[in-house]
Amino acid sequence: MRTEQKSTYRVAVYPGSFDPVTMGHMDIITRASKQFDLLIVAVLNNLSKNPLFSLEERKDLLRKVTSHLPNIEVDGFRDLLANYVREKEAQVIVRGIRSVTDFEYELTMASTNHKLNPDAETIFMMTNPKYSYLSSSLVKEIAHFNGDTTDLVSPEVDAALRKKFNEKAGL
Ligand code: COA
C-alpha cells in the first residue's frame, strides 16, 4: 500500500571551528549538501581555541570555497549547539568521523546534544580516507613552516594562510 508522504524542508547544521576549512571539511560539506535542502555551516566563535583566523575571516573563507554549492548558508554561533539548532529549526546535526579516535568524543557530544535537544538527530559521515589524518592544526603547522598545503586546502585558503603567516612574520 502506498502511503502519502508529507513533504518537509530538511535543514541540517554542520558545526565546527573551521580554523581554517580544509579539504576534509569540504568533503563532508559537499556530500552532506546533497542530502538536505539547506546545510548551515555553523562556525563556533570559540575563544578558548585561540584561533588563527577571526570568526569573520573563517566565515568569508567558507563562503568562498562553498560558493559553487547552491544550498549552503554560512553562519557563526557562540551558544550551545543544541540551542542554536533549535533556533534555526534544523532537524539534523552533521558530524564527520575521521577515525575511531574521533568516535568516543563524538558519541559523548551526540548524546549530550540529544539530551539538550531531543528533536535534533546527529548524523555521522565517514570522512574520505584520503583526509583521515587531516586537521586544521596540521594545516596551520605546515603553512607556518612554509610547507606545501595545496592538496590539503582550497586555493583561497592556501592564499589566506600564506598571507596570515607572512603578516605574522612582518613580511
Ligand atoms: N576532515 C578533516 N579535519 C576535520 C574533519 C574532517 N572531516 N572534521 C573535523 N576535523 C578537524 C578540525 O579541523 C579540527 O582540527 P583542530 O582541532 O586542529 O582545529 C578538529 O578536527 C576538531 O574539529 P571540529 O569538528 O571543528 O570540532 P571542534 O571540537 O572544534 O568543535 C563543536 C566542535 C563546535 C561542534 C562543539 O565544540 C560545539 O558544539 N560547541 C558549542 C558548545 C556546545 O554546545 N557544547 C556542548 C557540546 S556537547
Side-chain angles (χ1 to χ4, degrees):
M1 195 177 70
R2 197 166 153 228
T3 49
E4 199 66 30
Q5 285 216 317
K6 199 173 150 211
S7 93
T8 47
Y9 190 72
R10 303 277 297 156
V11 180
V13 171
Y14 178 41
S17 302
F18 304 106
D19 185 40
V21 55
T22 68
M23 293 308 261
H25 296 126
M26 281 307 291
D27 167 55
I28 300 291
I29 292 172
T30 308
R31 286 159 53 208
S33 72
K34 294 177 186 152
Q35 305 300 325
F36 302 97
D37 297 303
L38 175 66
L39 180 70
I40 303 172
V41 182
V43 186
L44 177 67
N45 193 9
N46 187 350
L47 299 173
S48 66
K49 259 203 167 179
N50 191 18
L52 176 67
F53 292 100
S54 70
L55 177 66
E56 282 314 311
E57 289 171 327
R58 283 180 277 155
K59 288 198 297 184
D60 273 358
L61 285 172
L62 272 161
R63 285 196 186 104
K64 281 183 189 152
V65 301
T66 60
S67 60
H68 60 293
L69 299 169
N71 58 338
I72 304 288
E73 181 184 309
V74 177
D75 191 21
F77 78 108
R78 53 171 74 231
D79 194 3
L80 272 178
L81 178 62
N83 291 347
Y84 175 79
V85 167
R86 188 180 290 113
E87 178 197 314
K88 289 286 167 180
E89 297 182 10
Q91 301 88 5
V92 171
I93 297 166
V94 173
R95 293 289 292 165
I97 298 232
R98 291 165 296 174
S99 63
V100 280
T101 47
D102 276 349
F103 183 73
E104 218 169 315
Y105 170 68
E106 293 297 335
L107 185 64
T108 307
M109 210 161 75
S111 306
T112 310
N113 285 325
H114 181 74
K115 172 83 184 135
L116 298 173
N117 180 356
D119 294 331
E121 201 64 62
T122 299
I123 287 183
F124 298 111
M125 297 183 78
M126 301 302 145
T127 303
N128 186 322
K130 222 166 49 172
Y131 305 121
S132 61
Y133 65 94
L134 197 54
S135 71
S136 299
S137 302
L138 190 75
V139 163
K140 285 181 281 192
E141 191 168 334
I142 296 169
H144 173 68
F145 291 110
N146 225 3
D148 184 4
T149 56
T150 47
D151 288 342
L152 311 180
V153 293
S154 308
E156 295 87 345
V157 177
D158 191 49
L161 280 163
R162 304 278 148 223
K163 187 163 175 267
K164 187 65 92 178
F165 282 114
N166 281 342
E167 278 169 10
K168 278 184 177 281
L171 298 174

